[in-house]
Amino acid sequence: MRITKPEWLHHDADKKKLTAIFSVDFHPDGQRLATGGMDNKVRIWSTHAITHNDTAQPHAPLATLAAHGGAVMCVRFSPDARYLASGADDTVVLIWEQDTHADYSGLGDGSLSEGSEVWRPVRRLAGHASDVCDLAWSPDARFLASCGLDNRVLIWDTRTFTQVAELTAHTQFVKGVTFDPAGKYMATQSDDKTLRIWRTSDWALHATVSAPFQDNIFSTYFRRPSWSPDGACIATANAANGRVPVVAIVQRAAAWPADLSFVGHHAAIEAVRFSPRIVSIDGTQTSVCAAAGQDRSVSVWLTSQPVPLTAATALFTGSVFDLAWHVPEPSSYENEDDPVVARLAACSFDGTVALLECTRSELGLPVPIPDQGAMLAAHGWSRPYKSARTLADLHCSDGSNDDEYDGSFDGRPRPIAETVAQIHLEESPIREPRESRIAQALEPISKECAMEPVSADAEPTVTKHMEERSGVSSPAESALTEQAMPVPVRTKDGRKRVAPVFIRPLGGSRASTAKHSPTQTANQIPAPKAGQPPLADPPRLPIDTPLWIEARVQSSIGTFEATTDNEDADVVARVVGPAGAQSLVHAQPLTAARVRLSVPAVVAQLNFSGTVSIVAHNTDSSSRLVCASPGTWTAYLDQPCVALDASAAVTAASLVDGTVHWFDSGSGARLAPPLMLGAPAAVVRCTGCFCLVLDASGLISVYDVVALEARADHISIAPLLNSLDHTVPALTGVLLSESGDFVVQLTNGCAYAFNTPLRSWLRIADPHAFRRSDFATRPSNRPITSTGTFAAYSRSSASQLEGIQESAHLQYTRMQGAPSEPTASKAVRACVTLDHIEHQLMAAATIGNDDDVVRFTDLLARRLAQTADHARVSFWLDALLGPALATGEQPAIKSWTPCLASVPKRRLLQRVLRILASNRHLQSQVSEYSTALKELLET
């Protein structure tokens, strides 16, 4: 190994007063080395000058980039070699691009770029509120992640360089970020002693690793982790085993264990960096990792052995802050005896940079790119890799960014900007609100409801179809078959009947001692066997006693008597009218269902634990409610309690006589006389000041208990029970929001929200809809914890709406198996995706979630900017602007409302116009609506 440390490579004119260098990175071609330092500048150096010339002979940098207003903390080249990103303590990320056609003689004083190369800042990303500590490009260069001392991680879409996500789960400074080479995850490391792993599909938190960092007592400038090139593990900085600093290796497995470590450094570790190529040493394929820190040394490790391959001690006089690798292609040294197969650069607080060169005899040879791609494929990476020759080919292939918009459209070149306003719109950033109304309203989830991370790489749940093939049936499937699946039977006269169906109870209470004798129907459905495990569903709706639905097909003109001649024939119903007239029709089963829900059984004790902790002690003829928090109070009721639920404001108890009693959760004061229902209550839900009651006849009512008025009155769930496969879906969830909106989930994977102005149910989730969309819901195996409110879903997924959809689809997947994945052309997928985004936007408005409305509006605008569909663009601009510019002939404009959910439409229009401005083919429309919006805002 040869170590080169050029004296002329520094960030100050006087080498006797060197300034700290915080970051270093190689250009993908290996010919340039970028450094960022305390002098507020980025410098680009020639690698050839470092490795082939006298280190004492001074060499000027190829370029000096001076546009930051603070120390440059991180520099990173994009994998496709197009951009250089730099982050500084001026809170700004700059995107630089080399101008190969510039006339250097006309640069004037060269205040932005000095040297033989010209680099220009093409984007200024202003989103952080404090120092930017680290940057990372996704492997396909589609996204750029930045993190900093504002405890946040920002995700930027590199097609438009707009912010697409803000990750705020860390509670202290975020000092490192790295992407999974398989493209599925991103990892961030923070001073809160955690490594958090995020899904790149929706930027939701996937897992949190904290064990390797709990013993850590060291303070560091950075915590720069690195993902191995085969995707199998993450090397983390500043971990500790007792008082010993180590590099903790977090393995890609179900629980993300961190049982392995690199031990050898004597002080805190600032940065680790894997070589981008897997190497083969004596027939063993392994990854190569470098580590450096405050002991001023650099070590190189192989993941296949427990001791370091080499260690360079006393290499610097200050802490080592950053590392960078470059691996030349084997074709560049195929005729050499012992060629250099890898170069490692390290920078230090002492203002110097060292270059370590490893030869073939020391490090072996890199494995072929297709072989490395095959390893990534084992972790879900699916891009073509057999023809790839370089890492850029591997990750940034032609098919990796099919929907990327580069300013051209239909083969036409990008038009010039016609107005100054167009330039301002293109450059103006889309700023996300720091805190949303919904986020402020949601209460923190208790420790009992915290989501446990479950890896997507874990073994999937065995579906019904898989078990049929293998001949094995799980206990959960057995319970499902016995309790929840409809059973077709024949009566004595040969007619076909659908048996009543057991479904889950929806009461929010937990039974500790049960004495239950289920009511038998005419079809004699058996009760669950003793000791039988519950359904394999999320714990948010615990199973207590069976709740069943009996549905009978009816018509407005008579009763359907369904008969079939054979098992496979269509159902043919004979309609008997009032006057005896008869006709044959092909009937849709359950066109109007009469619903009967079983009432929860009386048990000795009901427990409810959440914001309110309350217990109901039942006897044969009475009940005693005992509240332990937030207040201490007792209430006596003259009938046994069968359902119990509570929020911070309201406690609701349903009794066997069909009454519902409301109490103040803090004091126990009675809020109203008993509520009399038309049928006994099967489900009770409380959220905020609202109480939802679902009675045994299938009618939902929502009450504002404080104002003593009905928000929704006797809404029937019968329309939701339609089924084309002659089965009756069962209820799996009833959710209530802080604003009184509610959602019903069924075993068929669908979720429905009731729209009060329409007086109708709207289906907001369907496992079979939009399967060809790029954003199709694909349920994971992770549990989603809830207490029957919307709150948990906003923290368990990318959005509240998608969390509800994932939960409903998960129920369906566990019962029926995952829906098939249809194949579709690029044009069909684009059309379905746009339709899906519009559906998501209106569904978010239906459930009243402001955050989701803003998110899906931005997503819709980006899709419209890519497609340049002028008619669709005009429709949405009209819908957001209102009647000020629209012709008034469109029905949508005549009944225009100023808000979506509670977000002003014209505020959304401001965001949409900035996004659409990225496509200059739309600039005439953007200009027209921008002028109209400006006039409206001024008046």
Side-chain angles (χ1 to χ4, degrees):
M1 177 178 290
R2 185 177 71 171
I3 300 177
T4 304
K5 197 174 180 184
E7 297 180 358
W8 45 265
L9 199 162
H10 53 79
H11 270 248
D12 194 271
D14 184 359
K15 66 179 181 181
K16 295 181 180 179
K17 298 180 181 179
L18 302 182
T19 59
I21 298 178
F22 294 114
S23 185
V24 62
D25 197 42
F26 278 107
H27 189 277
D29 64 10
Q31 298 179 13
R32 300 173 183 84
L33 182 71
T35 57
M38 193 180 287
D39 60 350
N40 306 354
K41 295 179 181 179
V42 178
R43 299 179 189 267
I44 300 177
W45 311 86
S46 169
T47 307
H48 186 274
I50 300 174
T51 58
H52 290 80
N53 292 338
D54 184 0
T55 58
Q57 181 181 355
H59 289 270
L62 298 176
T64 300
L65 316 182
H68 279 291
V72 179
M73 310 300 287
C74 186
V75 290
R76 293 290 183 263
F77 283 102
S78 63
D80 59 3
R82 181 176 180 181
Y83 297 116
L84 170 65
S86 60
D89 65 8
D90 60 0
T91 75
V92 172
V93 177
L94 292 180
I95 306 299
W96 303 83
E97 187 173 15
Q98 186 180 8
D99 189 349
T100 57
H101 304 289
D103 180 6
Y104 180 68
S105 61
L107 287 178
D109 60 359
S111 58
L112 294 183
S113 179
E114 300 176 356
S116 59
E117 294 184 352
V118 178
W119 290 74
R120 300 189 186 279
V122 294
R123 286 291 188 275
R124 182 178 184 272
L125 310 183
H128 284 280
S130 189
D131 302 14
V132 179
C133 286
D134 203 14
L135 301 167
W137 296 86
S138 64
D140 59 359
R142 174 69 181 277
F143 298 104
L144 174 67
S146 60
C147 63
L149 303 188
D150 55 0
N151 305 354
R152 298 186 300 154
V153 182
L154 303 184
I155 309 298
W156 310 88
D157 187 333
T158 59
R159 295 171 301 177
T160 59
F161 284 103
T162 55
Q163 182 182 321
V164 296
E166 176 182 354
L167 313 181
T168 58
H170 284 292
T171 58
Q172 294 188 36
F173 302 156
V174 187
K175 295 183 174 180
V177 58
T178 182
F179 271 95
D180 170 19
K184 295 184 65 176
Y185 301 109
M186 179 189 73
T188 55
Q189 197 171 345
S190 165
D191 276 354
D192 61 8
K193 297 186 178 181
T194 64
L195 175 80
R196 297 185 186 268
I197 300 168
W198 313 81
R199 292 194 306 274
T200 57
S201 58
D202 54 10
W203 303 113
L205 181 62
H206 179 75
T208 301
V209 179
S210 59
F213 316 106
Q214 295 306 306
D215 296 335
N216 181 20
I217 59 174
F218 309 109
S219 176
T220 56
Y221 273 83
F222 304 100
R223 293 174 181 254
R224 287 172 166 158
S226 181
W227 214 302
S228 64
D230 58 359
C233 62
I234 311 170
T236 61
N238 204 13
N241 185 356
R243 296 298 180 92
V244 179
V246 299
V247 176
I249 305 299
V250 179
Q251 300 177 62
R252 189 185 193 126
W256 298 90
D259 302 327
L260 304 177
S261 299
F262 294 153
V263 183
H265 283 267
H266 304 295
I269 298 167
E270 296 271 356
V272 292
R273 193 81 175 262
F274 273 102
S275 167
R277 296 290 295 273
I278 301 168
V279 298
S280 177
I281 302 178
D282 296 330
T284 301
Q285 294 182 348
T286 182
S287 298
V288 185
C289 182
Q294 295 179 2
D295 60 358
R296 307 171 186 180
S297 62
V298 177
S299 61
V300 178
W301 303 76
L302 301 178
T303 55
S304 60
Q305 63 184 37
V307 295
L309 179 68
T310 186
T313 59
L315 190 59
F316 300 95
T317 59
S319 299
V320 185
F321 286 147
D322 202 8
L323 301 163
W325 286 93
H326 173 66
V327 179
E329 292 301 323
S331 58
S332 64
Y333 52 76
E334 56 186 6
N335 296 324
E336 299 181 29
D337 293 334
D338 193 18
V340 173
V341 297
R343 293 186 175 95
L344 172 66
C347 64
S348 170
F349 185 77
D350 64 11
T352 62
V353 172
L355 192 68
L356 290 74
E357 295 180 296
C358 303
T359 63
R360 181 169 56 189
S361 60
E362 297 165 334
L363 209 56
L365 287 174
V367 302
I369 289 292
D371 292 350
Q372 185 164 325
M375 296 179 188
L376 292 177
H379 299 298
W381 183 75
S382 59
R383 292 197 181 96
Y385 56 83
K386 293 183 180 179
S387 61
R389 297 182 179 180
T390 66
L391 283 178
D393 294 337
L394 187 68
H395 293 292
C396 306
S397 60
D398 294 337
S400 63
N401 285 322
D402 289 336
D403 58 350
E404 180 175 352
Y405 177 70
D406 60 359
S408 62
F409 184 71
D410 288 343
R412 294 173 284 169
R414 188 185 191 197
I416 63 171
E418 298 175 356
T419 63
V420 176
Q422 169 71 19
I423 300 296
H424 290 322
L425 282 170
E426 290 179 10
E427 296 298 331
S428 58
I430 303 294
R431 295 184 179 272
E432 297 290 340
R434 295 298 298 273
E435 293 182 349
S436 65
R437 178 186 63 81
I438 294 295
Q440 293 174 345
L442 296 176
E443 298 178 359
I445 300 178
S446 63
K447 292 182 179 180
E448 292 78 14
C449 294
M451 182 182 69
E452 292 294 330
V454 179
S455 171
D457 295 325
E459 289 296 323
T461 304
V462 179
T463 65
K464 175 183 177 183
H465 304 293
M466 294 170 63
E467 290 168 354
E468 288 176 351
R469 291 195 297 266
S470 62
V472 179
S473 178
S474 66
E477 184 67 26
S478 301
L480 172 63
T481 303
E482 217 167 304
Q483 297 183 58
M485 298 304 293
V487 182
V489 297
R490 287 189 181 275
T491 60
K492 293 180 179 180
D493 57 3
R495 295 181 179 181
K496 190 175 181 180
R497 290 289 183 266
V498 177
V501 181
F502 276 114
I503 68 170
R504 312 171 53 182
L506 299 175
S509 58
R510 298 181 179 179
S512 59
T513 306
K515 50 178 183 178
H516 171 60
S517 300
T519 304
Q520 297 295 320
T521 70
N523 295 282
Q524 294 296 311
I525 296 181
K529 297 179 181 178
Q532 191 177 53
L535 297 182
D537 290 331
R540 57 185 181 83
L541 292 174
I543 295 175
D544 299 334
T545 57
L547 180 65
W548 56 272
I549 296 176
E550 179 184 347
R552 298 176 183 175
V553 181
Q554 292 184 334
S555 168
S556 59
I557 61 172
T559 302
F560 286 108
E561 297 180 354
T563 62
T564 59
D565 295 330
N566 57 72
E567 294 291 339
D568 300 325
D570 292 337
V571 175
V572 179
R574 184 174 299 278
V575 181
V576 182
Q582 298 183 2
S583 63
L584 289 178
V585 297
H586 284 272
Q588 295 289 342
L590 307 180
T591 54
R594 187 175 71 186
V595 182
R596 291 176 56 191
L597 305 179
S598 65
V599 178
V602 176
V603 297
Q605 181 175 302
L606 287 176
N607 299 310
F608 180 86
S609 179
T611 307
V612 178
S613 179
I614 190 168
V615 179
H617 301 276
N618 288 327
T619 65
D620 291 338
S621 59
S622 64
S623 181
R624 178 169 58 97
L625 302 184
V626 179
C627 181
S629 66
T632 302
W633 52 269
T634 303
Y636 293 88
L637 304 175
D638 55 4
Q639 294 289 337
C641 179
V642 293
L644 188 64
D645 205 81
S647 68
V650 179
T651 295
S654 173
L655 308 187
V656 294
D657 61 358
T659 59
V660 177
H661 298 249
W662 292 325
F663 301 92
D664 176 73
S665 295
S667 64
R670 181 177 286 273
L671 299 178
L675 176 70
M676 301 300 298
L677 303 175
V683 178
V684 176
R685 286 274 186 257
C686 293
T687 303
C689 64
F690 293 99
C691 177
L692 177 147
V693 178
L694 172 61
D695 64 29
S697 61
L699 299 179
I700 293 179
S701 298
V702 178
Y703 305 96
D704 185 335
V705 181
V706 175
L708 291 182
E709 61 183 19
R711 173 67 181 265
D713 186 25
H714 295 88
I715 309 301
S716 175
I717 66 170
L720 311 184
L721 304 180
N722 295 339
S723 177
L724 296 178
D725 57 0
H726 305 179
T727 63
V728 182
L731 254 62
T732 59
V734 177
L735 312 176
L736 180 63
S737 76
E738 294 279 353
S739 58
D741 299 309
F742 55 95
V743 170
V744 171
Q745 297 175 324
L746 302 181
T747 53
N748 59 10
C750 296
Y752 303 87
F754 189 79
N755 186 285
T756 302
L758 290 176
R759 302 295 299 170
S760 300
W761 291 96
L762 299 180
R763 187 175 63 198
I764 63 172
D766 184 348
H768 300 288
F770 306 112
R771 299 308 303 170
R772 289 171 290 186
S773 168
D774 293 340
F775 302 99
T777 302
R778 293 173 175 83
S780 64
N781 291 323
R782 58 182 172 81
I784 301 177
T785 304
S786 173
T787 58
T789 69
F790 284 13
Y793 291 103
S794 63
R795 291 168 169 83
S796 63
S797 187
S799 71
Q800 192 176 94
L801 174 64
E802 290 180 345
I804 293 172
Q805 292 170 336
E806 286 183 12
S807 175
H809 290 198
L810 181 60
Q811 300 290 339
Y812 176 85
T813 300
R814 285 174 170 168
M815 292 184 175
Q816 303 293 339
S820 60
E821 295 290 340
T823 58
S825 65
K826 180 179 177 182
V828 171
R829 296 191 71 88
C831 182
V832 174
T833 299
L834 183 57
D835 186 21
H836 188 199
I837 295 172
E838 291 171 335
H839 168 275
Q840 296 291 80
L841 172 59
M842 301 315 297
T846 298
I847 66 174
N849 188 284
D850 291 354
D851 291 344
D852 286 353
V853 166
V854 174
R855 178 172 178 261
F856 289 117
T857 299
D858 287 355
L859 192 58
L860 175 61
R862 292 188 183 97
R863 281 284 168 167
L864 292 175
Q866 293 170 18
T867 61
D869 185 338
H870 291 272
R872 213 151 184 165
V873 168
S874 294
F875 171 83
W876 283 107
L877 293 181
D878 283 341
L880 295 177
L881 180 64
L885 183 64
T887 62
E889 299 175 357
Q890 304 176 35
I893 299 302
K894 290 181 179 179
S895 57
W896 187 79
T897 56
C899 293
L900 270 179
S902 60
V903 182
K905 290 182 178 178
R906 286 169 180 166
R907 182 163 70 86
L908 293 174
L909 180 59
Q910 290 178 310
R911 303 172 63 90
V912 169
L913 290 172
R914 293 191 185 103
I915 297 172
L916 294 179
S918 64
N919 188 341
R920 290 184 180 174
H921 294 284
L922 300 172
Q923 62 181 308
S924 60
Q925 290 174 286
V926 171
S927 177
E928 180 183 9
Y929 284 89
S930 296
T931 302
L933 179 61
K934 182 179 179 181
E935 293 175 354
L936 285 173
L937 296 179
E938 289 177 350
T939 57

